[in-house]
């Protein structure tokens, strides 16, 4: 069965709100008895269908195991972690010995295209439903934003991918669009979304986590920077910066605690709650934190995705962000609920402090939102674009705003960057991205955008990296086979 094309986009997950499931969840009629053709008849159904797209953001195949493997572990910022023989497919990503059959590629392909399929149904059906025009436009805007988000991940990793913008039920005739065509569609979706979505402050607190105008513009700025369109990247980033909707939270470490969720610097994050019902089962939880949580003592997670020694060494020793990013043996969990005791089965044990599990909650589907876009990221997008446009003063200003927050009022550390040399300033901005966004699944894409993947992998001893094969991920072989070869494979993987 061509499962990612035939996937029934509405399931029990569609009854969930963006943040969690309501108490009436078990009283709902089973949605599997309904079809896309007869579902979009009321405002409630249109909202539920849109919520089903958001639900994919907590799904195992979108933002959990394969996701951290293809981002952090695949880069120089992290190593696989856990015990040596656990999750061999992640070890292959870590040391670049994988092939087109590695389950990580098939996992994210399936998950992200399920999200796209759900978004396409909303975009197609909601305008024809009998609902309030303003609400309908907003829901379509949310779906376009989410479709753009899913495609932006896919195109940066795989290059050109099938560009599906309407309901699709068959793999027949599916081929790859060019990378430029996919990016063009992403841009248009984000432009459309920004035109109709509310600002963050215009949503009630119960709706935090929905797509906003700022989120659409923020990702649009990142797309422009990815395409070396520095003028539009700077202009769009500054729309977010100057909107009055966001500010840098004064305490960097607090951003990654429960109290920091949807904080002043948060532009887009995935809401998750502690729940006995985990990924793919209709619950509000996510296993994103669980797979990275402390393994063994206390037993709060699976212990994958360790910050690398090279990442640790790259920080200024006085930079508070280092200790707010790396959780060491002997250290308390950020909420003080437990102290990490050395696990004798693990060598080089350390953890991602931006994704942790408290001893006080159920770890099966742990709370802890997934931060996808922060103001600091957009400030550094603006700094990079401004530097490439020879607007040195503006580049310095945005870069130093991030450094000023990082130093936390201690004027003896992290001095402002004052160089006016474009190459030196570019390096300073790239370094700042690494330190500010470490372990937030940004590094591999940043290195690729900067043209430094081979250099970085060689520097950390990943000698299997081959620039003729590893700049793009292989298309999952099972997807090539499903189309009878119509879906072409990336170079070096046939």
């Amino acid at each position: 069965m061509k499962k990612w094309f035939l996937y029934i986009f509405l399931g029990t997950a569609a009854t969930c709100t963006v943040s969690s499931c309501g108490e009436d969840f078990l009283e709902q009629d089973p949605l599997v008895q309904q079809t896309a053709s007869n579902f979009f008849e009321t405002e409630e159904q249109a909202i539920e269908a849109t919520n089903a797209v958001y639900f994919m953001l907590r799904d195992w195949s979108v933002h959990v195991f394969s996701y951290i493997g293809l981002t952090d572990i695949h880069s120089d910022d992290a190593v696989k972690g856990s015990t040596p023989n656990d999750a061999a497919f992640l070890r292959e990503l870590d040391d670049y010995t994988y092939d087109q059959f590695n389950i990580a590629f098939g996992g994210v392909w399936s998950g992200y295209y399920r999200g796209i399929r759900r978004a396409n149904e909303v975009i197609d059906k909601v305008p024809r439903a009998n609902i309030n025009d303003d609400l309908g436009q907003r829901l379509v805007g949310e779906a376009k934003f989410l479709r753009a988000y899913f495609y932006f991940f896919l195109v940066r990793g795989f290059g050109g991918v099938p560009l599906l913008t309407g309901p699709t039920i068959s793999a027949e005739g599916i081929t790859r669009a060019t990378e430029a065509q996919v990016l063009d569609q992403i841009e248009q979706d984000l432009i459309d979304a920004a035109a109709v979505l509310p600002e963050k402050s215009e949503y009630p607190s119960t709706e935090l986590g929905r797509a906003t105008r700022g989120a659409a513009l923020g990702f649009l700025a990142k797309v422009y920077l990815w395409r070396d369109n520095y003028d539009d990247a700077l202009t769009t980033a500054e729309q977010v910066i100057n909107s009055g909707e966001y500010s840098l939270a004064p305490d960097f470490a607090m951003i990654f605690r429960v109290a920091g969720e949807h904080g002043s610097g948060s532009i887009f994050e995935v809401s998750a709650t502690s729940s006995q019902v985990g990924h793919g089962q209709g619950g509000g939880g996510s296993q994103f934190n669980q797979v990275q949580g402390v393994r063994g003592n206390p037993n709060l997670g699976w212990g994958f995705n360790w910050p690398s020694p090279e990442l640790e060494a790259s920080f200024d020793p006085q930079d508070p962000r280092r200790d707010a990013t790396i959780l060491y043996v002997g250290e308390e969990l950020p909420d003080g609920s437990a102290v990490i005791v050395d696990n004798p089965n693990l060598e080089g044990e350390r953890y991602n402090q931006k994704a942790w599990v408290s001893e006080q909650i159920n770890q099966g589907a742990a709370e802890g939102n997934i931060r996808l876009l922060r103001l600091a990221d957009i400030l550094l997008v603006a700094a990079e674009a401004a530097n490439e446009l020879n607007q040195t003063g503006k580049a310095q200003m945005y870069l130093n705003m991030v450094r000023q927050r990082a130093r936390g009022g201690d004027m003896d550390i992290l001095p402002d960057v004052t160089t006016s040399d474009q190459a030196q300033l570019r390096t300073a901005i790239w370094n700042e991205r690494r330190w500010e966004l470490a372990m937030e699944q940004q590094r591999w894409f940043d290195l690729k955008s900067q043209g430094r993947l081979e250099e970085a992998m060689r520097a950390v001893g990943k000698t299997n990296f081959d620039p003729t094969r590893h700049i793009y991920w292989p298309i999952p072989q099972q997807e090539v086979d499903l189309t009878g070869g119509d879906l072409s494979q990336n170079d070096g993987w046939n």
Side-chain angles (χ1 to χ4, degrees), residues 54-82:
Y54 282 100
F55 178 80
M56 290 304 303
L57 299 175
R58 294 196 299 267
D59 191 83
W60 174 264
S61 59
V62 172
H63 280 142
V64 188
F65 221 18
S66 295
Y67 174 67
I68 62 171
L70 290 172
T71 53
D72 290 339
I73 295 171
H74 207 31
S75 78
D76 56 350
D77 269 4
V79 296
K80 179 182 77 70
S82 184

Side-chain angles (χ1 to χ4, degrees), residues 435-453:
W435 302 325
E436 176 70 23
L437 302 170
M439 306 303 294
E440 294 182 53
Q441 300 77 56
Q442 301 276 344
R443 177 68 171 173
W444 192 84
F445 293 126
D446 282 350
L447 289 170
K448 181 172 178 176
S449 175
Q450 296 157 7
R452 299 193 297 150
L453 266 176

Side-chain angles (χ1 to χ4, degrees), residues 129-315:
N130 184 27
I131 64 175
N132 176 276
D133 285 346
D134 289 342
L135 175 61
Q137 289 179 15
R138 193 200 85 194
L139 295 178
V140 170
E142 292 179 58
K144 285 189 174 183
F145 168 83
L146 292 167
R147 182 170 71 182
Y149 173 79
F150 293 132
Y151 268 126
F152 193 39
F153 181 87
L154 292 172
V155 76
R156 286 181 295 169
F158 293 108
V161 293
L163 184 57
L164 310 179
T165 57
T168 305
I169 60 173
S170 172
E172 184 177 353
I174 294 295
T175 59
R176 298 173 67 179
T178 66
E179 191 168 349
Q181 288 170 331
V182 178
L183 288 166
D184 286 345
Q185 182 64 53
I186 293 169
E187 286 186 14
Q188 190 59 58
D189 277 351
L190 292 172
I191 290 168
D192 291 348
V196 297
L197 290 178
E199 294 284 9
K200 180 180 178 181
S201 61
E202 294 173 340
Y203 279 115
S205 60
T206 55
E207 297 292 324
L208 288 177
R210 289 198 177 276
T212 64
R213 171 176 164 80
L217 291 174
F219 276 108
L220 182 59
K222 288 173 70 71
V223 174
Y224 286 142
L225 185 65
W226 181 265
R227 305 187 81 176
D228 297 334
N229 181 349
Y230 302 118
D231 284 300
D232 286 340
L234 178 58
T235 299
T236 308
E238 288 187 321
Q239 285 182 266
V240 179
I241 294 165
N242 298 327
S243 67
E245 291 285 320
Y246 310 99
S247 61
L248 292 172
D251 186 341
F252 177 82
M254 188 60 67
I255 296 170
F256 306 98
R257 302 181 187 180
V258 173
E261 293 176 348
H262 296 298
S264 64
S266 172
I267 299 177
F268 189 65
E269 62 185 74
V270 180
S271 297
T273 61
S274 182
S275 170
Q276 290 288 345
V277 183
H279 64 90
Q281 303 296 322
S286 165
Q287 291 186 272
F288 174 77
N289 281 16
Q290 182 195 14
V291 300
Q292 300 178 74
V294 176
R295 180 174 182 135
N297 200 354
N299 186 24
L300 299 176
W302 300 4
F304 288 95
N305 201 31
W306 292 352
S308 68
E310 292 81 9
L311 171 63
E312 178 184 34
S314 75
F315 280 100

Side-chain angles (χ1 to χ4, degrees), residues 111-126:
Y112 279 75
Y113 270 109
R114 289 203 305 273
I116 290 165
R117 168 66 186 269
R118 294 184 182 194
N120 285 344
E121 292 287 354
V122 172
I123 294 165
D124 179 66
K125 301 296 194 305
V126 165

